[in-house]
Amino acid sequence: MSGHSKWHNIQAKKGKADAAKGRIFTKLGREIAVAAKSNPNPETNSKLADIIAKAKAANMPNDNIQRSIKKASGEMNGADYKELTYEGYGPAGSAVIVVTLTDNINRTAGDVRSILSKHGGSMGQTGCVSYNFDNKGYIVVERTVELDEDTMTEMALEAGADDIVVSDDVYEIFTTPETFSDVRKYLEEKNAELMAAAPKGRRNEEEEPKIRFVQAEIAMIPQNRITLPEDKVASFEKMLDALEDHDDVQNVYHNVDLPDDDEE
């Protein structure tokens, strides 16, 4: 089906994330705790359920997830975290959206502005680049021999997905924000059915899931991507690293098509 694949850009980001899992889990834990503050039950708190799915796709251990939920009724009560989104420009006019979770708005805004400026970019007004992005549910599933293209496409469409993009190693599934939870739950249920249908002799607690989620979240997807001049790529990547390393930054979205040799 149609759609521009962003998996290669995510793959590059994932490689960096794998090298700093502790930091990633800390950020996810905070996000879970904030979502659980009003209601710690994912059965009745859809936002919490979606963030837990995002954490599981990032291989966050269940013990960490449960500890983060418990924090919602403990230490999180002493902090007033707010989710704020900043828009701006990176090198060569690239579009950047930075989603933060902070208990100090002035600090976070100043730091994001400084990082963008230091790497040849600038902070913009709300709406200056977001019109070039679509807010979508985004699910990445590992492509395996057992999960062929026809089967995955059929399941995604049955689940209510808007689009599926097939590449060599993954399936990218796109939904509306409103249908994201339903599509994710449908695929999780299908996975449980496939696991249960496996030959008894092969079933065990350590068995790999049949539908392996690599990423599952509601994300800002660029409508079009740009290619940076060669002399701007390094600055752009340093800017991304600096933003993602910041404790208050939860997600960074952009419209740059990174070169293949920088994604290996």
Side-chain angles (χ1 to χ4, degrees), residues 83-86 97-101 248-253:
E83 182 178 292
L84 296 171
T85 300
Y86 300 95
I97 297 177
V98 184
V99 180
T100 67
L101 200 57
D248 297 340
V249 174
Q250 295 296 120
N251 291 290
V252 182
Y253 304 109

Side-chain angles (χ1 to χ4, degrees), residues 8-69:
H8 289 299
N9 283 249
I10 287 176
Q11 196 173 30
K13 180 178 178 180
K14 184 176 183 298
K16 296 171 186 174
D18 287 344
K21 280 189 179 294
R23 173 173 54 80
I24 299 300
F25 290 167
T26 296
K27 291 188 177 189
L28 285 168
R30 183 186 300 168
E31 199 170 347
I32 290 170
V34 170
K37 191 173 181 180
S38 61
N39 177 3
N41 184 359
E43 294 294 326
T44 54
N45 184 341
S46 60
K47 183 175 182 180
L48 175 59
D50 289 344
I51 296 172
I52 289 174
K54 175 181 174 182
K56 287 182 176 179
N59 295 317
M60 186 174 181
N62 191 58
D63 287 347
N64 294 41
I65 293 172
Q66 294 306 316
R67 281 198 298 271
S68 297
I69 293 175

Side-chain angles (χ1 to χ4, degrees), residues 6 18 42 100 102-103 118 122 130 149 152 166 200 209 212 214 237 240 246 249 262:
K6 70 190 279 281
D18 287 344
T100 67
T102 178
D103 59 352
K118 182 178 178 180
S122 62
S130 57
E149 180 178 341
M152 187 69 252
V166 179
K200 290 185 178 181
R212 303 171 193 168
V214 178
E237 291 188 327
L240 282 185
H246 196 287
V249 174
D262 288 301

Side-chain angles (χ1 to χ4, degrees), residues 117-157:
S117 177
K118 182 178 178 180
H119 297 91
S122 62
M123 185 87 89
Q125 298 294 321
T126 299
C128 68
V129 298
S130 57
Y131 69 92
N132 286 316
F133 292 74
D134 294 319
N135 195 33
K136 293 185 177 184
Y138 182 68
I139 300 171
V140 180
V141 173
E142 183 178 340
R143 184 174 182 175
T144 64
V145 175
E146 294 178 317
L147 195 61
D148 61 77
E149 180 178 341
D150 289 343
T151 300
M152 187 69 252
T153 299
E154 183 179 352
M155 283 194 293
L157 295 180

Side-chain angles (χ1 to χ4, degrees), residues 5 14 30 48 62 93 124 127 173 194 198 210 221 234 243 257-258:
S5 171
K14 184 176 183 298
R30 183 186 300 168
L48 175 59
N62 191 58
I173 301 165
L194 292 171
K210 305 300 181 183
I221 308 296
L243 287 170
D257 197 6
L258 296 173

